[in-house]
Amino acid sequence: WPYTTKKERFDATMSMLLILSRAPRFSYSPVTITTSILRHTMSTSTRTPSFPATADLCDKYVTSPSRLHVAGSLHFHNYGGISQFSGQVQTIRCFESNPLVRKTLSQEGHGRVLVVDGGGSTRVAILGDELASLAAKNNWAGLIMNGCIRDSKAISKIPVGVKALGTHPLKSIKTHEGELGCIVAFAGIEFVPGHYVYSDEDGIVVSETELTL
């Protein structure tokens, strides 16, 4: 079913009803067929892509050679329009300054997850709605911010995963670029470029290799 918005689905259903009303050779009544169309529309519009839950990954891999690591119970919160996301890790280390975050998100993400170690600062925001929109546009699966974000209401409507420590209305400075592609560590684990990260409502899991259920 190619229609994603309510208006598109309504228009498609009405068009189908019009076609059916002009086709007396149908062995089923237009009402019966239209009801089937509506049921199909409702079921497909609520489906979400299959995602390996972090709890299930832990159950399967926590004692395996895959070296699964689970982030500590720090106060990370989901802010993006997508709460479940995963992908290969790309990293940035910066502190209260985010020009490298913008530069990186301006590039094609290829379904990766950008992990930003902002030093745990809660004095400024290192991500806003413009950068979150940029991430979604350029095919980044999500962002994990060891720091704060702002524009949280707008970000909640953007189709990208965003996990952060909290919110702060003050934007960051732009004077220090930071470091790209380095190993960063917070929440009790290391995030290594090229490894895989899985994030959902229960937490964050990292593995050296891609995990499946």
Side-chain angles (χ1 to χ4, degrees):
W1 191 260
Y3 309 104
T4 56
T5 68
K6 289 182 179 179
K7 184 178 185 304
E8 287 175 335
R9 293 193 292 270
F10 177 82
D11 291 344
T13 302
M14 291 302 100
S15 297
M16 185 64 71
L17 182 58
L18 179 61
I19 293 172
L20 292 173
S21 68
R22 296 175 178 176
R25 292 178 294 172
F26 264 97
S27 59
Y28 299 97
S29 71
V31 173
T32 301
I33 298 177
T34 303
T35 301
S36 298
I37 293 170
L38 289 172
R39 286 176 178 169
H40 176 76
T41 301
M42 292 174 65
S43 64
T44 55
S45 64
T46 57
R47 292 175 187 168
T48 55
S50 176
F51 178 88
T54 57
D56 293 336
L57 291 174
C58 287
D59 290 346
K60 182 175 181 179
Y61 289 102
V62 71
T63 59
S64 77
S66 297
R67 296 190 63 187
L68 177 140
H69 302 283
V70 182
S73 56
L74 293 177
H75 298 292
F76 282 94
H77 304 282
N78 287 313
Y79 292 101
I82 298 174
S83 60
Q84 300 175 328
F85 58 95
S86 64
Q88 279 194 290
V89 172
Q90 176 59 290
T91 64
I92 289 176
R93 180 186 289 119
C94 60
F95 185 73
E96 299 183 353
S97 181
N98 70 348
L100 187 56
V101 176
R102 176 181 291 276
K103 180 179 179 180
T104 303
L105 293 178
S106 298
Q107 302 169 2
E108 172 63 40
H110 300 291
R112 291 175 295 171
V113 175
L114 183 62
V115 179
V116 180
D117 183 4
S121 172
T122 56
R123 301 190 301 182
V124 298
I126 51 177
L127 182 83
D129 60 340
E130 289 187 9
L131 295 188
S133 296
L134 198 60
K137 175 184 175 183
N138 291 324
N139 302 311
W140 291 87
L143 304 105
I144 297 175
M145 318 295 294
N146 185 26
C148 289
I149 68 162
R150 66 178 192 167
D151 306 314
S152 58
K153 184 176 181 179
I155 288 177
S156 69
K157 300 177 182 178
I158 298 172
V160 68
V162 177
K163 185 159 270 185
L165 295 180
T167 61
H168 199 289
L170 182 63
K171 67 181 179 180
S172 70
I173 59 176
K174 315 295 178 186
T175 54
H176 306 294
E177 185 168 273
E179 185 179 356
L180 176 68
C182 55
I183 297 176
V184 300
F186 56 87
I189 59 176
E190 287 186 340
F191 297 86
V192 180
H195 285 189
Y196 290 83
V197 62
Y198 302 82
S199 177
D200 63 11
E201 297 87 345
D202 288 339
I204 301 170
V205 170
V206 174
S207 173
E208 294 180 6
T209 58
E210 187 173 11
L211 304 178
T212 59
L213 292 176

